[in-house]
Amino acid sequence: MNLHLGKTWGLRRMANEAGHFTMVALDQRPPIANLVAAKRGIAPADVGFADMVAVKRLLVDVLGRSASAMLMDPNYAFPAALDRLPAQAGLVVTLEDHRFRDTPGGRLSHSIRDWSVEKIKRAGGDGVKVLAWYRPDAAPDVLAHQKDYVRTIGEACRRWDIPYVLELLVYPFPKSAGHTTDYVEAPEKLPQLVLDSVAEFARPEYGVDLYKLESPLPGATLPAPDGSAAHAAAQRWFDDLGAICRQAGIPWVMLSAGVTPAQFQRVMAYAYAAGANGFLAGRAIWWEALQAFPDLEACRARLQAQGVRTLDELGALTQRHATAWRPDYSAFGRMQAEGELCAAYA
Amino acid sequence: MNLHLGKTWGLRRMANEAGHFTMVALDQRPPIANLVAAKRGIAPADVGFADMVAVKRLLVDVLGRSASAMLMDPNYAFPAALDRLPAQAGLVVTLEDHRFRDTPGGRLSHSIRDWSVEKIKRAGGDGVKVLAWYRPDAAPDVLAHQKDYVRTIGEACRRWDIPYVLELLVYPFPKSAGHTTDYVEAPEKLPQLVLDSVAEFARPEYGVDLYKLESPLPGATLPAPDGSAAHAAAQRWFDDLGAICRQAGIPWVMLSAGVTPAQFQRVMAYAYAAGANGFLAGRAIWWEALQAFPDLEACRARLQAQGVRTLDELGALTQRHATAWRPDYSAFGRMQAEGELCAAYA
């Protein structure tokens, strides 16, 4: 009898009552630092803690009530706004450091210093989120490192019985034209790279409980869902993605990767047609509002008007078209005596 | 910098947004087994798992939405109704076995077999509840055992960073007239025994985060709060209780100990005047409805009518008169750089 009480409870806390994940990410570090730097006219490295904290606090303040869960990093978001997060919302916590190592053969991920799955669990997190940069055509030693990183965290998540939310991002190699260490959709991104990455980490040995996936095609380039050949061709990539997840029994949500709200609505229409269970989106929801920085009151007003509307519209789309995730409590029905659950839960 | 992220988050999950604890207990084992046995005309030892599970499932079904948290035992309540508990409700989990050892010198508590603070934390519990039978005039070896039991769990709750909800109950010695191993208010209960017990476990070494306390006077005997001398005298016992908790900085809620809804309303009026932060009540809310057992549909109807009303009335009283519990996130305000929280959270 396999009881994953903590993983199941954590996923339920992250989902809304319909079994959909309508989650907001605010763990972004470089994108927000870059924005603050640009608006302040300073270098990203000179961005102050107070500015980072102020932005994140605002996001939780305005959006916290409309999200089924929020993704927060321990470096900025926790001190900024853990006190502002409604306790009824799910709390997903970032594990990976945003400062990956960029080598000629590919990107190497590692965890935030002094941070771990155990600490996330002890702190009350409902889920551990890890972004692993990945492309199957990276150098063998890079692939081995990334697989080992993802697998090791999967083992820790099993040990601490906490959901493992794995985000995968394809990226450009250092010498390629579109190279950036920031988190933007590579225009030359190949959908097959996205699919092959997901297929790799759908294997049970990695222990992934929820996927946070990018659009297999750049979100800004998706054709209108008009029944055309282009639409059908694009949908097939999403369907293939959905098939991998369905076969592996892993629920999945989409990330917004900095596309506009309208573009992200379209991404989600494709994703829901392919069986996605929700979204975990950041910039599509709050990027426009933050353009008013450093005028925080103007940011707040825009966020309340545009950000909340975007989130609500996504929520409505989700309610209509998303596949519901359902917890598996079937083991309970087979119990017939008082001590069985305690003995079965190792 | 002392960060109890998990304890704070767990308490927030157990409280409602106003900072009040409006919690329902359904971890009772002997009281429900005895009721089922009486209605079935069988011995308590012969009560079947299915009956226990059916009753607990009903309680979560009908009351789960009106409670800020529910207290569930792993033996019956988890398999009965973990799938029915709204994920937005707090989940408090029982650690102690209901089969204490009754010795001439007093009662000895121990934990449920195959169950632990670690398992409760891993399973996703927001809090660990322990009932420790205690009276300061018990035999020295009994006192030593009980203190050690409570202290050891406190250490584990610190280790796993999960709130420690300690319930204290005074009890009759085996040879006394009112002796029962069931969980009823001893009519000869002395308020000073209740207060001295609380004072003992208010010491920091035990690591208690939330008290679940009994009325210092039998709930059925409390005078009307009419400004009389009897009223003032009774209130003083509650005030003394509140003073101990306030001085120790430990929030506290009251248990209902099987009194009627009207009696429990009165208990809470006294308790709120003394600074209580809410309730964690069981039978006062659902006992009357369960009298229709084994007609579960009749139980459900009564629970929907009477049980929900009792709970709502208690909620309204709480909203008006309870002291709000507020999380302490003051350490966040002193952070000034990116890695501080991770380093500070040991």
Side-chain angles (χ1 to χ4, degrees), chain A residues 103-182:
Chain A
T103 75
R107 297 184 176 179
L108 301 170
S109 302
H110 61 277
S111 296
I112 292 170
R113 185 176 172 174
D114 299 321
W115 201 235
S116 63
V117 171
E118 181 186 341
K119 281 195 176 184
I120 291 173
K121 178 74 181 188
R122 290 177 53 238
D126 296 306
V128 171
K129 172 259 179 177
V130 171
L131 155 60
W133 298 100
Y134 197 82
R135 47 185 301 161
D137 54 350
D141 59 323
V142 169
L143 294 183
H145 177 278
Q146 293 301 83
K147 289 179 188 178
D148 189 55
Y149 180 65
V150 173
R151 191 188 298 110
T152 302
I153 294 162
E155 286 159 7
C157 287
R158 262 192 287 262
R159 164 78 186 88
W160 302 108
D161 202 0
I162 184 169
Y164 186 3
V165 183
L166 181 65
E167 172 179 5
L168 292 174
L169 283 177
V170 169
Y171 59 90
F173 289 123
K175 289 184 178 168
S176 68
H179 177 258
T180 165
T181 56
D182 198 359

Side-chain angles (χ1 to χ4, degrees), chain A residues 7-61:
Chain A
K7 284 178 180 278
T8 306
W9 189 244
L11 286 168
R12 289 187 60 202
R13 282 250 157 101
M14 291 156 56
N16 64 23
E17 285 208 75
H20 299 142
F21 301 93
T22 57
M23 307 186 286
V24 172
L26 64 130
D27 72 327
Q28 287 80 357
R29 287 145 291 174
I32 294 177
N34 293 342
L35 175 80
V36 168
K39 300 289 181 183
R40 290 253 186 239
I42 58 177
D46 294 331
V47 168
F49 186 72
D51 274 347
M52 294 294 287
V53 162
V55 167
K56 295 196 178 220
R57 189 169 181 83
L58 189 58
L59 297 179
V60 176
D61 260 357

Side-chain angles (χ1 to χ4, degrees), chain A residues 48 80 302:
Chain A
R302 283 203 208 176

Side-chain angles (χ1 to χ4, degrees), chain B residues 262-274:
Chain B
Q263 288 165 349
F264 190 57
Q265 284 251 5
R266 187 171 290 185
V267 168
M268 291 315 303
Y270 276 90
Y272 287 147

